[in-house]
Each structure stands twice: as structure tokens, then as C-alpha cells.
Amino acid sequence: MPTLTEALSQAWAVHQSGNVDAAMQMYRGVLRQAPKSAEAWVYLGIAQFDLNDFASAASSYRHGLQLKPKFPIGWNNLGNALRMLGDVEEADTCFETALQQRPDYLSAIKNRGTLWIWSGDIQRGLRWYEQGLQIDPDHAELHRNLGVIYLLTGDFQRGFDEYRWRWKMPGVARPDMCRSAPHRSESRVPLWAGQPLRGKTILLYPEQGLGDAIQFLRVAQACHDDGARVVVVCDAGLIPLFSSMNCLHQLLPDLPASQPPAVDFQGSFIEVLDAWYVHRGELVHGSGHGYLDVSPSLVAYWQRQLGSIGQGRRRVGLNWQGNPEHHADVYRSVPLARLEALAQLTDIELVSVQFGPGTEQLETVGFSQRITRLPSGLDTTGGKFMDTGAILKNLDAVVTTDTSLAHLAGSLGVRTELILGRVPDWRWGLEGDSTPWYAGMRLHRQAKLGDWTDVIESVVDSLQPKGEQSL
């Protein structure tokens, strides 16, 4: 029979393999045999946290800490769970306790910085990140975090300098032919760092999610306008949408290992944005108007499908939930129930453009009958976002949280009312209701963490007919 330590080690190995549910059952099995094991309670809390059950995670951590008060890992983890629950002050107390017990505990320092960043006290958070770098000057994630915050505050020079550390983080990699080597061989393609592009071929690729790919594809146009032939590697499902950008010489779903395209330079979309700023002193915003499109026939098809919806009222798309696996989703997604005021606008027909996680909320809100639902199976045949894009082109406006759909709407030139949490992604900056990225987008900013009241009022006011807007 395994010892307690061996049983927890076995469960942790299962946890690390990605099977969190099985690991949680193993932790519970250990606790049935050893209910006073503080370590087992903390392991269980980690599993619950990884499943986004933050309240249960906090409860498990508290059980462990009652059994073993001097447990810096437990205090740090409890602080993290409370951070996700929005309990800022108690979370900070937990991190403080962890650091009293272990002053050089880098994870607690980093998490404490993140707590204050997400709460809106950016300078306080930066100080904790900087303190962490005094302990580990080469900590890539801390440098990356600093970069994101500097970019958010508009300090693009320091921001890009620090943000480049992301390439040293685990799990961040380039396409095979583009990866750096200690001794660069002829098969390695140099990164574009501002060299003249006229007559050259540059290979571009996204490095993050679908929204980032849609937003930063605009750098391809800038490279083309500078005289380059542009080859883009992207998710195969995005090729039909990206094909509407006429400046692209070639679109590939992958880089063929045997005969990769002959190119002179390479870089991710964001790296090109970075280099463009360093060497040109400006970000690649473009005109801000729509730069992608979907086929007119598909737009016409959805015009017919939506023809009877609204009966003369304005059609407004509604998207409230992002990817629940995203680390910031708890701060940027809005419960559908909080958007009830939109359903009270009598001249508007709400159309759900929410797909996947979040759609279950349509079954629980009292105003679900005021929201038109679209048929299932969208975007399954013609490419990612093609049906959705054609639907958006048939709407008068879209109300959305910070998801890939916001970038889709903006890139198509559709009027967009964007709901932002207290501390948004760096691309939106910290102030203002407009953005140079998308001309038809209005930003609605949360003033207090967790409170969406003013934000929703601002969206409602924006959607009111001009003569009825509040003064």
C-alpha cells in the first residue's frame, strides 16, 4: 500500500498529465484515508481551481491551513482563489502571510502583483513585479507581464522590450523553419527587424488566439505597401476569411517541411508590429475601417434568412461570454442576466451571436424570449467565422465583451459596442471610448472591478436613438 506521500505524488502525476477530474478523485480518496492531511487538501484545491471552481478551491485551501497554519504554498493558493472571486483585500492578506512565512516566495510576489494589476492599482502591481525581478532577474513571465502593463499604459518602447521575453516562456514556439538556433544555419530565416522590404518576401504567422490573428493581420497590408510579397501561415479554418485581404501573395495552413516557401524574412504578426514601432515610431493601425470581408452571396443568403427577424426594428448582436479557459475570462465576461436592460429597448431586436460556452445562460434568463437564436452548425462548412461574419454584416450593431467576435466585427467594419473590464487587454489602453484599431468601435469601460452597472448603462445610452440619449 502506498504511503501518503506516494499516493499524492501519483495523483499529482495524473493531474499534470491533464486529467484533472481523475486526479481530484484520487485526492479525495487520500482524504478519506487521511482527512487531516493539509497537503491533500491543498492538492484538492489546486484541482478545483484548475476546473474554475474557485469557491470550492478556497474552501479546500482553508481546510488545509486550519490543519497547518505555517504553509506558504497554501496561503499563496488561497490568495489566488480569492483573487478570482474578487475578494481583493483578503487575497492580499493571504499573499502577505505567505511572504511573511517565506520572504523570497516568487510565486506569491508575482500573484500579488497580478492581484493589484487586475484590481486597477497598476502602479502597486508593477512594484511587486519589479520586486520579483530582484529575486530572479531572468524570470521570463515577470518580464512578459511588465511588458503587457507598459503597453497598456502606452509606454510602447519599454513595453515591447519587456514583452519580447515571452519567447523564453514554456510552450511559446515558432513554426519549425523559423525557430532560432544557437548557430544559425542557412535554413533558418532571419527575423524581420526593420530591414528594407521592397522586393523581398516575408513570412508572417499568428502567435496567439483567433482574435489576435484577426486584429494583427493588418501588418500584412503594411508590409505589402512597403513593397514586400507576403506569405501568411494560419489556422486552416481562417484561410477563407483571410483570403479577402488582397495584399496576400500566399496563404498556407502549415509550413511544408520538405519544400518550405522561399522567404527572406519571418516574424509573428505582433513581432512585426513591434519592429514597425521601433523603426518607424508608430503602430500599424491602418485606416481603422474594415479590412476583411465575406462573400456577397453569403451575406445575401443570411439577409434572406434574417429577413423576418426584427419586423422593422434594429438588429443588435449580443455576445457576452469569452473562452472560460482564458486566464482573464472571469474579469471580461458578463453574465447574460446583467444585460437585461438591452432587452427593454423596444426598437431593438437582440440576436444571439454567442456560440459554445455561455449559450446555456439563454435557458435561465427571464428575457430569453427577447433574444433571437441562430441555427446550429454555423461556420462548419465554409471556414471559421464565415457564416458569423455574414450575419454580422446584416446587423445594425454588435454588443460584445472582449472576445474574438469583437475583432471579427471590427475587421468587417460592423458597428461594435465593446464592453471592457476594469483593466482591459493592452490594445485598448486605459482611457477613451474610441480606438485607432477599429473606426466603428466604441469602448465602454468598467470603473469598479466586478460592477457592470455603469458599463451597461453606457451601452444602452449609446444604442438609444440620438434624440433620446441621456444628457
Side-chain angles (χ1 to χ4, degrees), residues 192-202 204 217-230 247-248 264-265 272-273 275-277 279-282 284:
W192 184 70
Q195 303 95 321
L197 285 172
R198 186 158 300 281
K200 304 295 185 179
T201 301
I202 185 168
L204 304 177
L217 178 66
R218 68 187 69 219
V219 302
Q221 184 68 57
C223 292
H224 173 269
D225 293 345
D226 232 35
R229 290 173 17 131
V230 180
C247 68
L248 303 182
D264 301 289
F265 303 111
V272 172
L273 190 79
W276 202 278
Y277 180 81
H279 295 278
R280 311 288 177 92
E282 60 183 10
V284 183

Side-chain angles (χ1 to χ4, degrees), residues 336-353:
L336 176 59
R338 301 298 300 273
L339 300 173
E340 184 174 5
L342 298 177
Q344 296 172 358
L345 296 172
T346 57
D347 69 325
I348 282 177
E349 179 73 19
L350 294 175
V351 178
S352 172
V353 284

Side-chain angles (χ1 to χ4, degrees), residues 325-340:
E325 300 302 318
H326 190 281
H327 71 281
D329 183 67
V330 68
Y331 300 108
R332 67 180 189 175
S333 290
V334 181
L336 176 59
R338 301 298 300 273
L339 300 173
E340 184 174 5

